[in-house]
Amino acid sequence: MKFFLDTADLAEIRWAVQAGLIDGVTTNPSLLSKDAGDLEWGDVLKEICSLVDGPVSAEVVAVDEAGMYDEGRKLARIDDNIVVKIPMLEEGMVATRRLRSEGIKVNVTLCFSSVQCLIAAKAGATFVSPFLGRLDDIGHDGMDVIRETRQIFDNYGIETELLAASIRHPRHVVEAALIGADIATVPTSTLKRLLLHPLTDRGLDQFLNDWSKLTARTKANA
Ligand code: G3P
């Protein structure tokens, strides 16, 4: 399974790249607004692309077809790694088609049902992003969308990559991986939680404790 980091925080991205844990990055207007600081958002995207050897999603903010297409083309000029994020809208599907016909990669975002994912794939999306956590938040089971979409894509040999988004906890990652989502995009806090287990901490404490007993004994016998 590929991991993307769902952030626009450069320090977090640097850490994850150094650790070899990520295959790409996803941003959105909220993340850029939160993480850009004093930097210009275009420069942040450029910097992210220089750090990561993989797809970097950057979202349009227009909601009309011509606007999404124009913004998408501008975003794609920032770097070859840019993937244009287009919201799941009627006009967004036309923009997706046009951008794809020019070889620009598209991630259709804000998907909340498997049929939306199918439609996005039909329009030519390179990636589709169903939002698990936000569905869970309103009492649905977000994982159903991943399960159904995987099955539909497999039934028809659809090559659009299934990108599980709005991931909130390690269990989301495990279940999405079991179902066969191609990618999970995770916030840094969740990525770091994937490393944790209380028995790891307890085991390490015990090893270090036993080791200091051994060294104390060796010193006493010297
Ligand atoms: O990038 C889109 C997505 O992952 C958003 O997650 O936590 O804001 O629902 P969240």
Side-chain angles (χ1 to χ4, degrees):
M1 178 183 234
K2 286 180 272 187
F3 286 155
F4 288 176
L5 204 60
D6 201 23
T7 186
D9 184 306
L10 297 174
E12 292 179 358
I13 294 168
R14 263 187 218 107
W15 166 77
V17 168
Q18 277 167 3
L21 295 179
I22 57 165
D23 307 285
V25 166
T26 48
T27 69
N28 60 38
S30 307
L31 292 171
L32 278 165
S33 161
K34 177 168 79 72
D35 297 330
D38 293 335
L39 297 172
E40 204 270 315
W41 61 265
D43 292 337
V44 176
L45 288 171
K46 235 180 254 166
E47 184 65 19
I48 295 173
C49 290
S50 76
L51 294 172
V52 183
D53 186 17
V56 174
S57 287
E59 189 159 342
V60 301
V61 287
V63 287
D64 63 298
E65 188 263 312
M68 285 187 261
Y69 172 71
D70 285 344
E71 282 183 21
R73 293 185 81 208
K74 281 187 196 130
L75 287 168
R77 277 200 287 271
I78 292 177
D79 192 281
D80 286 347
N81 280 348
I82 289 284
V83 173
V84 178
K85 246 182 171 180
I86 298 279
M88 180 67 217
L89 294 171
E90 197 176 313
E91 298 201 31
M93 297 306 92
V94 184
T96 296
R97 195 77 187 161
R98 288 182 71 191
L99 291 167
R100 291 296 294 124
S101 71
E102 293 176 20
I104 296 170
K105 291 185 177 161
V106 173
N107 174 359
V108 174
T109 189
L110 288 167
C111 293
F112 294 92
S113 74
S114 53
V115 81
Q116 285 182 317
C117 294
L118 175 59
I119 291 296
K122 272 303 254 192
T126 321
F127 303 93
V128 286
S129 293
F131 280 27
L132 301 184
R134 294 193 195 185
L135 278 164
D136 290 357
D137 290 345
I138 60 158
H140 292 233
D141 184 355
M143 208 53 71
D144 285 345
V145 180
I146 302 294
R147 199 172 294 108
E148 290 177 11
T149 305
R150 178 73 283 153
Q151 171 94 59
I152 293 168
F153 283 10
D154 289 349
N155 285 352
Y156 296 100
I158 291 170
E159 285 176 8
T160 299
E161 291 196 67
L162 176 52
L163 194 171
S166 187
I167 296 252
R168 300 279 164 75
H169 49 72
R171 200 62 213 163
H172 272 156
V173 177
V174 173
E175 285 176 30
L178 286 170
I179 292 167
D182 298 293
I183 308 147
T185 187
V186 288
T188 311
S189 54
T190 306
L191 184 63
K192 289 191 173 174
R193 271 151 70 202
L194 299 180
L195 278 69
L196 302 179
H197 197 287
L199 291 179
T200 305
D201 297 339
R202 206 189 299 168
L204 184 61
D205 282 349
Q206 193 181 341
F207 286 152
L208 296 180
N209 215 5
D210 291 343
W211 192 253
S212 49
K213 281 185 209 152
L214 172 74
T215 50
R217 261 202 327 270
T218 317
K219 249 191 220 153
N221 294 339

